[in-house]
Amino acid sequence: MAASPKPPAVPAGRSSAEVRRQRILQVAKSHFERFGFRRTRIEDIARDAGIAKGAVYLEFESKEILLHAVIEVLFEQIGRRYATEVMPLESPRERLRATLRFAYSELARDALFERLVREDPELAVLRSLAESGDNPRKADAQVEMLRGWVREGIERGELRADLDVEVVPFVLGVLRFLHYHTGLITTGDRISRERLLDAVIDIFIAGLSSPAPTPPSPGRSPGRGSRR
């Protein structure tokens, strides 16, 4: 059996309690990724973190609270990358496109969410996190931000004027989770997951976009009627 990793030395400017908490979160994340929520045990996390089981419970009252804390750290990291990669884009339509592409790349980057969804298709643990603390307000703020982008896109002529602005953020939310449900379609060499998801993004954006103006017919001056 491999030896448990040794706890890191305390970095300058950080307390031993902060280092212990970060150590627990790092080890817990690796366990949740490998074993899922149900099979992960607090005593195993404590052992691999090099601390007593009771010390874990002093920081996190339950395994569910510990998972929530792990996910919150991930969300903070994802939020910083989103702010750098997506928010500065000038075009609201391209921000919507980049939001969906960013979601797929992030889900591919980290195995934790896919493991949790595979174990619990009803997303009970993730739903409990979404409903806790300040998260409902954050979710409402994100929905309003996306609606604002849709309105901006309509005003700029990039997006269709007949779009249901209220619904678009939720359609985008549904499409985000397609990353987890492409296994049957992409079995074998039918099509790669990446190519399929790229097509989903393109079709979604095409459905939002204003029709391109029709070019004038050859031999006919723009804006003038034909002569009899």
Side-chain angles (χ1 to χ4, degrees):
M1 182 175 177
S4 300
K6 294 180 180 179
V10 179
R14 296 181 64 187
S15 69
S16 59
E18 290 173 322
V19 172
R20 183 178 65 243
R21 179 181 176 85
Q22 290 305 310
R23 179 66 176 165
I24 294 170
L25 291 173
Q26 290 169 3
V27 173
K29 181 177 182 294
S30 69
H31 279 246
F32 286 130
E33 287 175 347
R34 289 180 59 196
F35 306 115
F37 178 73
R38 294 192 187 97
R39 292 176 56 214
T40 291
R41 304 191 310 167
I42 294 293
E43 52 262 45
D44 294 335
I45 293 171
R47 182 196 65 232
D48 287 352
I51 61 177
K53 179 180 175 181
V56 178
Y57 280 114
L58 284 175
E59 292 283 349
F60 306 98
E61 296 177 7
S62 68
K63 186 168 68 171
E64 183 169 307
I65 290 174
L66 175 55
L67 177 61
H68 286 184
V70 168
I71 294 174
E72 290 282 10
V73 171
L74 278 179
F75 281 168
E76 290 173 6
Q77 297 168 351
I78 291 170
R80 288 194 291 270
R81 288 193 290 269
Y82 186 78
T84 299
E85 298 176 23
V86 177
M87 297 295 286
L89 295 174
E90 173 63 21
S91 163
R93 179 175 58 195
E94 292 311 306
R95 271 179 252 135
L96 292 168
R97 183 197 302 275
T99 292
L100 198 49
R101 191 177 300 282
F102 178 86
Y104 292 150
S105 66
E106 288 296 317
L107 294 175
R109 176 202 295 263
D110 204 298
L112 176 60
F113 294 114
E114 187 158 7
R115 178 75 194 216
L116 294 175
V117 170
R118 190 165 64 245
E119 178 186 74
D120 176 22
E122 297 301 317
L123 301 177
V125 173
L126 295 179
R127 281 208 315 272
S128 68
L129 173 61
E131 295 165 0
S132 67
D134 199 32
N135 288 323
R137 184 195 63 78
K138 292 178 181 177
D140 289 343
Q142 185 179 52
V143 167
E144 285 307 312
M145 179 186 74
L146 294 172
R147 285 173 176 162
W149 291 358
V150 176
R151 295 186 188 99
E152 181 187 357
I154 292 172
E155 291 171 2
R156 293 173 59 153
E158 292 184 0
L159 304 181
R160 289 167 32 203
D162 63 341
L163 286 173
D164 187 337
V165 175
E166 300 297 306
V167 171
V168 170
F170 298 99
V171 174
L172 192 149
V174 169
L175 292 178
R176 283 175 174 171
F177 283 93
L178 285 181
H179 183 274
Y180 297 133
H181 304 289
T182 58
L184 182 61
I185 302 300
T186 58
T187 299
D189 58 357
R190 291 188 182 96
I191 188 173
S192 69
R193 174 187 273 185
E194 292 73 20
R195 184 179 175 190
L196 176 59
L197 294 176
D198 281 345
V200 167
I201 295 170
D202 288 342
I203 293 168
F204 172 64
I205 294 301
L208 296 181
S209 299
S210 296
T214 304
S217 301
R220 180 175 176 182
S221 300
R224 296 183 63 183
S226 59
R227 295 183 180 178
R228 293 182 182 273

